[in-house]
Amino acid sequence: MPNGDNWQGDVLRDLRGASGAPAAGTGRPPASVPPAPPSAAQASGTERIPTPTQPPAPAPTPTLAPAPMPAPQQAPTPQQTPAPPRPRRPSAPDSRAVVDSALSGTARRPQRGEPTAVRVARAVRRIVSSSAAREVAELTRTAEALQQPVTTGRQIAVTSIRGGAGKTTVAALLGTAYAHYRQDPVLLVEADPALGSLPLRLGAETLRWTTADLADIVEPQMSLLDVTGYLVQLPENAWLLPGSQGQIGAMLDTSAYERVMVALRRYFGVTVVDCETLPAEVARVALSASQARVLAAPATLDGVTSTYAVLQWMQGLPRHMIDGTVVVLSSTVARPGIDVEAAAEKLRSTGAGVHVLPYDRHLAAGGVLRTELLGRPTRLAATRLAAEVFQLSQKRR
């Protein structure tokens, strides 16, 4: 009985049965014919079995089609690992004035470090004596020491025991001396973000990027031109990296300081770091990582006493720490209350070098440092100090 679900197959089987079974021994099964597409009646669900008017054609002998060739297997393409996203650079901060406009008008006209009478008397003594030739020879030797080439950047850290010891003034004097005598770039870093005054001393007008900002920006592939775009340019091939924008509460951690100093070392021949006062953590890191150290102290009894205690503590550290340290005694008044030379000799007994920075009216005013207004003894003392500190830094690799 025909199967209404597959009526075409039933008709074909009846026709093959009329023609006979396949020949014995061939083993060939009856040819299978693919079913015809469903008619419209079947699609509509109505069974209709047509009666053929002509005898159907014999079933064609099936031919075996060649097996399709397998497609060549392609080597699996390795999945590309997406590149890690680059750290997003901080947005550019707004520029801030170093001195507020309401306060800039309060500063008086800067005065010279020495009175006119003192300068005239010194000029007369130089004319009638033979000290001028010796002074020129000494300046020549000092300039040669300051101009020695370096293979790697030298880092010089300046710190103090307490505020008001002349630390920032000494850092500004050193950086100015190196920038004047050397041909390679010089960098001054303010690692004292708690309202440091190094930008004011160096005459910077506005600040933008700080030490903490540059820690997230500097990259090894940067050129010197790229780096200096984030710095404050100073006269005579020198640059400044401020520690803050004059904001209370600005912080600088040791990791950020280390990243900045390691990255910038290869761009500058000499780097002078104005550190926090001891025993701050960044100051200790800066002292241990630098090739030479300067300890500023006021030429007072308590200043010398505290500095002597620190030097005794440094004697228990590796020998190069005390050997590479220079103490600067700054006289804040015209007549100090101690014998400065005797105090300096006592400090030298610890193994550290000691320099005396004489009283200078221009430095005592606390304004912008202008070297042409410094007294001659101050300029000579600052130049000798810069030369000795630089030579100490050359001994430490």
Side-chain angles (χ1 to χ4, degrees):
M1 180 175 181
N3 184 2
D5 293 335
N6 192 6
W7 60 269
Q8 297 98 334
D10 295 338
V11 172
L12 292 176
R13 278 195 300 271
D14 294 338
L15 294 175
R16 283 197 298 270
S19 60
T26 59
R28 180 176 297 176
S32 61
V33 179
S39 62
Q42 183 181 5
S44 61
T46 304
E47 270 192 34
R48 188 161 61 97
I49 303 177
T51 302
T53 56
Q54 294 181 358
T61 303
T63 57
L64 296 177
M69 295 293 294
Q73 295 184 356
Q74 298 181 354
T77 57
Q79 185 178 2
Q80 295 183 354
T81 304
R86 300 182 63 180
R88 185 176 182 182
R89 292 187 178 182
S91 57
D94 297 331
S95 297
R96 296 176 62 95
V98 175
V99 180
D100 190 270
S101 57
L103 299 175
S104 59
T106 62
R108 293 181 176 179
R109 182 179 179 181
Q111 58 181 344
R112 289 186 174 274
E114 291 181 302
T116 304
V118 175
R119 289 186 282 114
V120 172
R122 179 179 296 106
V124 172
R125 288 196 301 269
R126 292 183 63 199
I127 293 175
V128 299
S129 66
S130 59
S131 61
R134 291 195 301 270
E135 186 175 310
V136 171
E138 181 185 358
L139 287 176
T140 301
R141 290 192 299 269
T142 303
E144 291 176 351
L146 288 170
Q147 293 171 352
Q148 292 179 2
V150 295
T151 54
T152 57
R154 304 286 91 186
Q155 294 182 7
I156 299 170
V158 183
T159 187
S160 63
I161 306 301
R162 64 192 65 178
K167 168 180 66 70
T168 300
T169 299
V170 172
L173 288 173
L174 289 176
T176 303
Y178 295 135
H180 177 71
Y181 284 98
R182 299 190 61 81
Q183 298 297 323
D184 47 12
V186 175
L187 176 65
L188 290 97
V189 177
E190 186 181 43
D192 185 4
L195 298 179
S197 58
L198 185 61
L200 173 62
R201 279 305 222 179
L202 295 173
E205 297 180 356
T206 59
L207 305 177
R208 174 170 290 184
W209 301 97
T210 65
T211 306
D213 296 330
L214 203 61
D216 299 326
I217 295 175
V218 66
E219 296 177 356
Q221 67 271 20
M222 281 185 171
S223 64
L224 176 61
L225 186 61
D226 296 330
V227 171
T228 54
Y230 296 98
L231 307 177
V232 179
Q233 187 168 7
L234 302 173
E236 295 184 316
N237 205 28
W239 280 268
L240 165 67
L241 179 57
S244 69
Q245 291 185 327
Q247 298 175 347
I248 297 177
M251 299 297 293
L252 176 64
D253 55 70
T254 56
S255 60
Y257 172 79
E258 290 175 346
R259 289 199 305 271
V260 169
M261 299 309 295
V262 170
L264 297 183
R265 182 175 178 177
R266 66 188 183 93
Y267 297 102
F268 300 93
V270 180
T271 299
V272 179
V273 185
D274 182 15
C275 301
E276 300 171 305
T277 56
L278 291 173
E281 185 177 2
V282 174
R284 295 199 304 268
V285 172
L287 290 175
S288 61
S290 59
Q291 286 80 35
R293 290 151 293 280
V294 178
L295 188 60
T300 59
L301 182 58
D302 61 339
V304 172
T305 302
S306 301
T307 303
Y308 184 70
V310 172
L311 293 178
Q312 288 181 316
W313 168 75
M314 293 180 67
Q315 286 180 322
L317 301 177
R319 184 65 189 176
H320 71 271
M321 292 293 293
I322 192 72
D323 290 341
T325 300
V326 176
V327 178
V328 179
L329 289 177
S330 302
S331 298
T332 56
V333 293
R335 294 181 60 86
I338 62 171
D339 186 344
V340 178
E341 292 300 331
E345 193 62 30
K346 181 63 176 177
L347 295 177
R348 290 190 185 98
S349 64
T350 62
V354 181
H355 279 256
V356 176
L357 194 63
Y359 171 74
D360 191 284
R361 295 188 307 177
H362 179 65
L363 290 181
V368 179
L369 176 62
R370 296 175 56 180
T371 54
E372 70 275 10
L373 298 181
L374 292 174
R376 186 171 185 81
T378 305
R379 290 200 302 270
L380 293 177
T383 306
R384 296 190 193 103
L385 171 65
E388 180 175 343
V389 173
F390 180 72
Q391 287 179 326
L392 289 178
S393 70
Q394 289 281 68
K395 297 178 181 179
R396 179 70 180 171
R397 298 301 176 184

